[in-house]
C-alpha cells in the first residue's frame, strides 16, 4: 500500500482524511536483529489493525515521500543532516555502531537513512495537504519517531524531528504555532519538561509542560488537563491547524510510559481538539511500545477523524489528588499570558480525587530500566508558595561531601564568575537561553584563583540548549607540551561539584547518591580521569584530575578521549562559539586579570581556528 497514490473510495458525506504508511520505514531496525522497543512492528501492527477495520479504504492513502534537505536544515544543523543522510552508506559500515554508541538511546543500520528521510518527508507532505485544504485531516504512521531529536543530534530513538520539520514549513506559510507537552518521570527526564519552562522571548507562554508526579495517570488525569489547561488556551489561541505528536507511550500496558490511558481516553481527547481549526488536525506517530495498545489507540483516533461512532468507554474514576495540584501550579504559572487560566479551580471540583497509587513492590520496575525519575519530584509542591522550584530534602551524602573542598577548574564560560554562580545560586546571565537550577548548597566559592595548564582548548558542537547556535569550549583530556589554557579555579565543596556536574550534563539523574564521591576522588589521582557512566550522553561526563593546589585536588570536566578523537575525525563538528558565548569567556579573562580584551579575543580566535591534531 505504500506505493499507492491517493487510493480509497470516498462517500461525499465523509471527511477527506489522509493517511500515510510506507514499508520503507520498516528498514530501520537494530543492526544485529536484537529486540528493541522501537522496532518495525510498531507501524505494521497499526496498519494491519486499520486494514482489518476498513479504515484505509475510506481514506486518501498517500505514498511515503522523502524529505528535502532544505526543509530538514530549517530545523537541524547541516552536520546532523549530513550524518543521517550518509549513516547507512558503505563508507560508514565500520563506524556506524561506534557513532550510535556515543548518542543517547540510538541505533543505526543500512536502512536508517531511508527510513528517517521518509518519516520526516511523509509528515511534511501530509501536513502540507491538510494546510492547503486538499484534506480535512490525516494521520502519518511513521517511524523512526522524532520528538526527542535535537538540533544537532539524534536522541531517544529519534533521528529527525519530524513534526518540527513540518511545523517549520507551515510557519513559513504563516500558520501560527503553540507547543504543549505532557511530561512526567519519562525520558529524557531533564528540567526542560518542568512546568516553569514556558518558552522565552516572543514565545514566552507558548510552551506548556504538565509534569506528572508519578506513573499510572489515566484517562481522568489527562482529560482534567485537557479541560482545565489545554482547551481554555486553545480557545484563546484559535489555531489554524493542529499537529499532534501522537505518542501512545502513555497507553495502558506500555513498557516505558507507565501510564494507563485507554483507547477511549485518546478518542475523547482528540474529539475535543476537533472543535478547533475546523478539524484540520494531523496525527504524526511518535512513541508507544505496547503493540496491542498502539494499534487499538490509533484505530480509536482514526474513527474520530472519520467522524465514526465513538469507541465505547467511560471515565468513572477521578484524577489523582496530585494531578489537581499540578494543574493549579501550571495554571498559576501561565495565567499572566493566558487570563483564562487565572481563576482558581473550585474546591468542589478538586476535592473529587483518587488516592495516590500504591506501588506493587513485587512488580518489576520496567520504567526505571529505561528512564530515571525527574530531578525534582512534585510531592512537596505548594501551589500557594511564590517560589517555582520544588523543595527537596538533603541526604546524608551531601552532609559528608560538604566537608570536602576541591578546586573546580573552568576553561569555558564559567571562567566569568557571574556565569559560574548560576550553577551555585541558580538563574542566568545575558546570552543564556535558559536558567540554571543551582546547587543545593548556595554558599559562594571560598576562594578564586587562576592557573595555566598544558592542555588544548577548542570549540565544538553546533548548538546548546543554554547558548543556542555555535560551538562551546572543550578541553582535550590529554596534556600536550606547547599548549596553554587559562583556567579559573573555584574552591567549592565536593557536594557542590556534584551539582555542577549534573547541570553541565543536563541529565535526568536524581541525586539520591553522588556521581563523584570520596572513592572517586581517591581513584582519580591514580587514573588521571574518570568517565561517569550516568552522564555518558552528556558532553562533560569525563572528570579530569589536574594536580593539587595547596594539597586540595584540582578537577575539571570535559569530553572523553574517544569524543576528542571524534572531533578530530569530523564525526562531531568543530564550530566557532557564538558571540554571546565568546563574550562570557572574554569577560572572565579580562575581569580575572589574565588578559586584555584584545588579547582575550585573540586567544579565543586561535583556539577556534587552530586544527585539532
Amino acid at each position: 500500500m505504500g506505493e499507492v497514490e491517493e487510493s480509497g473510495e470516498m462517500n461525499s458525506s465523509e471527511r477527506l482524511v489522509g493517511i500515510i504508511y510506507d514499508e520503507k520505514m520498516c528498514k530501520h531496525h537494530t543492526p544485529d536483529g536484537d529486540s528493541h522497543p522501537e522496532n518495525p512492528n510498531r507501524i505494521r501492527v497499526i496498519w494491519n489493525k486499520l486494514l482489518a477495520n476498513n479504515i484505509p479504504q475510506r481514506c486518501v492513502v498517500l505514498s511515503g515521500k522523502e524529505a528535502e534537505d532544505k526543509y530538514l536544515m530549517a530545523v537541524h544543523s547541516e552536520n546532523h543532516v549530513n550524518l543521517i543522510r550518509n549513516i547507512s552508506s558503505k563508507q560508514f559500515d565500520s563506524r556506524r555502531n561506534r557513532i550510535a554508541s556515543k548518542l543517547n538511546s540510538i541505533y543505526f543500520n543500512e536502512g536508517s537513512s531511508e527510513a528517517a528521510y521518509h518519516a520526516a518527508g511523509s509528515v511534511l507532505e501530509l501536513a502540507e495537504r491538510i494546510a492547503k485544504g486538499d484534506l480535512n485531516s490525516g494521520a502519518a504512521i511513521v517511524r523512526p519517531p522524532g520528538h526527542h531529536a535535537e538540533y544537532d543530534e539524534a536522541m531517544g530513538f529519534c533521528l529527525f524531528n519530524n513534526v518540527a520539520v513540518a511545523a517549520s514549513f507551515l510557519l513559513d506559510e504563516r500558520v501560527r504555532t503553540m507547543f504543549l507537552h505532557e511530561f512526567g518521570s519519562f525520558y529524557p527526564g531533564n528540567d526542560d519538561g518542568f512546568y516553569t519552562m514556558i518558552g522565552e522571548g516572543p514565545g514566552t507562554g507558548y510552551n506548556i509542560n504538565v509534569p506528572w508526579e508519578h506513573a499510572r495517570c489515566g484517562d481522568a488525569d489527562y482529560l482534567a488537563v485537557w479541560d482545565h489547561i489545554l482547551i481554555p488556551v486553545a480557545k484563546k489561541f484559535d489555531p489554524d491547524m493542529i499537529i499532534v505528536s501522537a505518542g501512545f507511550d502513555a497507553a495502558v500496558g506500555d513498557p516505558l510510559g507507565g501510564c494507563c490511558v485507554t483507547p477511549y481516553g485518546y478518542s475523547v481527547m482528540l474529539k475535543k481538539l476537533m472543535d478547533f481549526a475546523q478539524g484540520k488536525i494531523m496525527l504524526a506517530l511518535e512513541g508507544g511500545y505496547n503493540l496491542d495498545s498502539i494499534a487499538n489507540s490509533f484505530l480509536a483516533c482514526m474513527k474520530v477523524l472519520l467522524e465514526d461512532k465513538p469507541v465505547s468507554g467511560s471515565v468513572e474514576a477521578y484524577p489523582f489528588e496530585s494531578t489537581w495540584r499540578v494543574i493549579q501550579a501550571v495554571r498559576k504559572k501561565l495565567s499572566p499570558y493566558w487570563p483564562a487560566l487565572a481563576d482558581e479551580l473550585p474546591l468542589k471540583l478538586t476535592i473529587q480525587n483518587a488516592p495516590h497509587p500504591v506501588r506493587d513492590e513485587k512488580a518489576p520496575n520496567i520504567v526505571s530500566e529505561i528512564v530515571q525519575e525527574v530531578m525534582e519530584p512534585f510531592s512537596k509542591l505548594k501551589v500557594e508558595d511564590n517560589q517555582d522550584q520544588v523543595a527537596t530534602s538533603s541526604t546524608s551524602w551531601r552532609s559528608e561531601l560538604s566537608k570536602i573542598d576541591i578546586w573546580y577548574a573552568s576553561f569555558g564560560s564559567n571562567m566569568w564568575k557571574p556565569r559560574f554562580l548560576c550553577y551555585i545560586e541558580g538563574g542566568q546571565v545575558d546570552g543564556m537561553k535558559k536558567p540554571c537550577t543551582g546547587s543545593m548548597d548556595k554558599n559562594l566559592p571560598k576562594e578564586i584563583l587562576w592557573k595555566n595548564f598544558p592542555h588544548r582548548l577548542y570549540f565544538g558542537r553546533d548548538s546548546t540548549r543554554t547558548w543556542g547556535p555555535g560551538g562551546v569550549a572543550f578541553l582535550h583530556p590529554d596534556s600536550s607540551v606547547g599548549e596553554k589554557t587559562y583556567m579559573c579555579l573555584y574552591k567549592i565543596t565536593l557536594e557542590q561539584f556534584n551539582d555542577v556536574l549534573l547541570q553541565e550534563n543536563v541529565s535526568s539523574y536524581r541525586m539520591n547518591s553522588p556521581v563523584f564521591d570520596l572513592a572517586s576522588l581517591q581513584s582519580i589521582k591514580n587514573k588521571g580521569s574518570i568517565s561517569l557512566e550516568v552522564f555518558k550522553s552528556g558532553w562533560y561526563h569525563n572528570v579530569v584530575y589536574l594536580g593539587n593546589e595547596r594539597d586540595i585536588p584540582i578537577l575539571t570536566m570535559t569530553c572523553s578521549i574517544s569524543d576528542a578523537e571524534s572531533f578530530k575525525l569530523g564525526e562531531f563538528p568543530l564550530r566557532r562559539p557564538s558571540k554571546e558565548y565568546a563574550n562570557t569567556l572574554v569577560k572572565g579573562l579580562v575581569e580575572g586579570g589574565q588578559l586584555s580584551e584584545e588579547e582575550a579575543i585573540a586567544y579565543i580566535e586561535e583556539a577556534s581556528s587552530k586544527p585539532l591534531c
Side-chain angles (χ1 to χ4, degrees):
M1 293 294 290
E3 299 300 326
V4 177
E5 179 69 24
E6 300 191 9
S7 68
E9 297 181 3
M10 305 295 300
N11 295 327
S12 59
S13 61
E14 289 187 326
R15 290 168 54 84
L16 285 172
V17 178
I19 191 169
I20 283 187
Y21 171 81
D22 198 312
E23 275 285 323
K24 293 184 180 71
M25 288 177 278
C26 294
K27 293 182 179 181
H28 173 65
H29 53 75
T30 53
D32 298 320
D34 296 335
S35 61
H36 193 280
E38 205 298 286
N39 64 73
N41 287 332
R42 295 180 59 246
I43 58 174
R44 287 179 177 142
V45 73
I46 292 174
W47 184 245
N48 290 335
K49 173 68 73 170
L50 299 184
L51 284 173
N53 286 270
N54 296 315
I55 298 298
Q57 295 87 329
R58 299 168 55 196
C59 295
V60 178
V61 180
L62 307 177
S63 60
K65 183 176 181 180
E66 287 198 355
E68 295 181 45
D69 282 354
K70 64 181 179 180
Y71 298 126
L72 296 172
M73 288 182 187
V75 170
H76 294 289
S77 69
E78 181 178 358
N79 181 269
H80 177 65
V81 173
N82 289 340
L83 175 66
I84 301 303
R85 184 200 307 117
N86 298 313
I87 194 68
S88 297
S89 63
K90 290 187 179 298
Q91 71 186 72
F92 277 85
D93 282 350
S94 62
R95 295 181 285 158
R96 192 177 297 127
N97 290 345
R98 180 159 62 90
I99 293 172
S101 70
K102 295 179 182 299
L103 299 170
N104 191 334
S105 302
I106 288 294
Y107 63 78
F108 293 123
N109 76 324
E110 293 83 354
S112 297
S113 298
E114 186 175 9
Y117 268 80
H118 271 82
S122 297
V123 172
L124 192 154
E125 171 74 5
L126 186 56
E128 182 180 17
R129 296 285 191 103
I130 297 170
K132 286 181 176 179
D134 297 340
L135 299 167
N136 298 114
S137 60
I141 309 170
V142 298
R143 66 172 292 277
H147 54 299
H148 290 305
E150 298 282 318
Y151 169 74
D152 63 344
E153 197 168 74
M155 179 177 172
F157 310 163
C158 305
L159 305 189
F160 289 135
N161 201 316
N162 308 321
V163 164
V165 171
S168 174
F169 173 81
L170 294 183
L171 281 171
D172 288 340
E173 303 298 321
R174 302 187 183 279
V175 176
R176 290 175 289 172
T177 185
M178 175 175 63
F179 299 95
L180 297 103
H181 316 276
E182 291 195 72
F183 173 90
S185 304
F186 313 130
Y187 179 96
N190 56 43
D191 61 357
D192 285 348
F194 202 55
Y195 79 101
T196 57
M197 297 301 181
I198 61 174
E200 57 189 27
T204 304
Y206 287 84
N207 192 79
I208 301 175
N209 292 321
V210 183
W212 296 139
E213 177 183 327
H214 48 68
R216 297 182 61 185
C217 291
D219 293 352
D221 303 281
Y222 277 82
L223 289 172
V225 170
W226 239 240
D227 291 341
H228 302 292
I229 297 177
L230 188 145
I231 297 301
V233 169
K235 286 180 179 177
K236 182 64 177 177
F237 184 73
D238 189 23
D240 301 312
M241 178 178 167
I242 297 173
I243 303 179
V244 181
S245 285
F248 294 97
D249 31 7
V252 172
D254 190 273
L256 305 189
C259 289
C260 303
V261 180
T262 68
Y264 173 75
Y266 281 114
S267 70
V268 174
M269 286 188 278
L270 181 56
K271 179 65 175 175
K272 289 176 180 285
L273 291 182
M274 292 286 284
D275 293 335
F276 301 96
Q278 297 82 47
K280 295 175 69 170
I281 295 176
M282 185 186 74
L283 308 180
L285 180 67
E286 296 283 7
Y289 309 99
N290 180 301
L291 298 184
D292 288 337
S293 287
I294 60 174
N296 291 328
S297 298
F298 211 97
L299 172 62
C301 290
M302 289 304 301
K303 289 183 175 182
V304 172
L305 295 183
L306 288 165
E307 296 187 323
D308 280 1
K309 180 180 178 180
V311 298
S312 60
S314 64
V315 181
E316 297 179 352
Y318 292 124
F320 292 124
E321 180 272 335
S322 61
T323 296
W324 290 122
R325 185 166 63 249
V326 171
I327 288 173
Q328 292 189 78
V330 174
R331 285 171 60 96
K332 181 178 180 181
K333 183 66 179 178
L334 290 167
S335 59
Y337 312 96
W338 304 102
L341 303 181
D343 294 338
E344 286 286 333
L345 296 178
L347 182 61
K348 65 181 181 180
L349 177 67
T350 59
I351 62 173
Q352 299 178 13
N353 57 72
H356 285 246
V358 178
R359 181 173 178 264
D360 183 358
E361 297 297 334
K362 296 181 181 179
N365 189 358
I366 302 175
V367 176
S368 67
E369 296 176 5
I370 310 297
V371 293
Q372 296 170 320
E373 294 181 358
V374 285
M375 290 183 292
E376 298 175 315
F378 248 92
S379 59
K380 295 190 177 181
L381 175 65
K382 296 182 179 179
V383 176
E384 66 272 14
D385 286 349
N386 291 326
Q387 296 179 350
D388 287 325
Q389 297 299 322
V390 178
T392 54
S393 60
S394 179
T395 51
S396 58
W397 71 265
R398 289 187 174 276
S399 176
E400 179 182 20
L401 299 192
S402 68
K403 302 170 185 175
I404 308 299
D405 289 335
I406 60 100
W407 293 102
Y408 163 55
S410 59
F411 50 83
S413 62
N414 287 333
M415 290 190 296
W416 188 38
K417 181 180 176 181
R419 165 65 182 100
F420 174 68
L421 292 185
C422 295
Y423 280 153
I424 302 299
E425 299 178 312
Q428 63 192 109
V429 295
D430 289 344
M432 292 173 62
K433 307 299 183 184
K434 55 178 287 187
C436 300
T437 55
S439 174
M440 286 286 289
D441 177 3
K442 300 190 183 300
N443 287 316
L444 301 182
K446 299 171 184 175
E447 192 175 349
I448 301 175
L449 58 87
W450 288 79
K451 287 179 70 74
N452 299 328
F453 292 89
H455 289 255
R456 170 68 197 278
L457 176 71
Y458 62 94
F459 295 90
R461 300 286 187 171
D462 281 321
S463 72
T464 67
R465 292 186 182 94
T466 302
W467 296 99
V472 291
F474 289 92
L475 189 78
H476 198 291
D478 286 343
S479 61
S480 178
V481 176
E483 297 288 355
K484 177 182 176 181
T485 294
Y486 292 90
M487 303 184 74
C488 182
L489 278 58
Y490 298 95
K491 188 176 179 182
I492 59 175
T493 69
L494 193 54
E495 177 199 0
Q496 290 175 315
F497 183 68
N498 274 267
D499 286 335
V500 173
L501 272 167
L502 182 73
Q503 294 171 83
E504 277 283 19
N505 287 284
V506 196
S507 170
S508 61
Y509 183 79
R510 189 176 178 184
M511 300 291 272
N512 287 333
S513 59
V515 294
F516 193 88
D517 57 14
L518 289 173
S520 303
L521 190 60
Q522 293 300 317
S523 177
I524 200 172
K525 294 178 181 179
N526 297 321
K527 294 182 177 180
S529 66
I530 294 178
S531 180
L532 303 173
E533 186 65 26
V534 295
F535 293 151
K536 185 177 180 181
S537 62
W539 294 352
Y540 299 102
H541 61 89
N542 190 32
V543 179
V544 178
Y545 173 63
L546 297 174
N548 287 345
E549 176 68 28
R550 287 178 252 157
D551 293 326
I552 296 175
I554 305 170
L555 306 177
T556 192
M557 57 189 79
T558 185
C559 64
S560 64
I561 292 291
S562 61
D563 287 344
E565 187 67 16
S566 293
F567 279 114
K568 179 181 175 181
L569 294 174
E571 295 169 359
F572 295 164
L574 293 171
R575 290 286 186 271
R576 291 177 176 273
S578 67
K579 181 178 179 181
E580 293 81 3
Y581 184 77
N583 283 343
T584 63
L585 276 71
V586 171
K587 289 177 183 177
L589 291 163
V590 173
E591 294 180 15
Q594 302 305 295
L595 298 171
S596 67
E597 183 173 350
E598 293 76 14
E599 291 170 334
I601 293 173
Y603 169 75
I604 296 167
E605 173 63 26
E606 180 182 10
S608 302
S609 57
K610 182 179 176 182
L612 188 59
C613 301

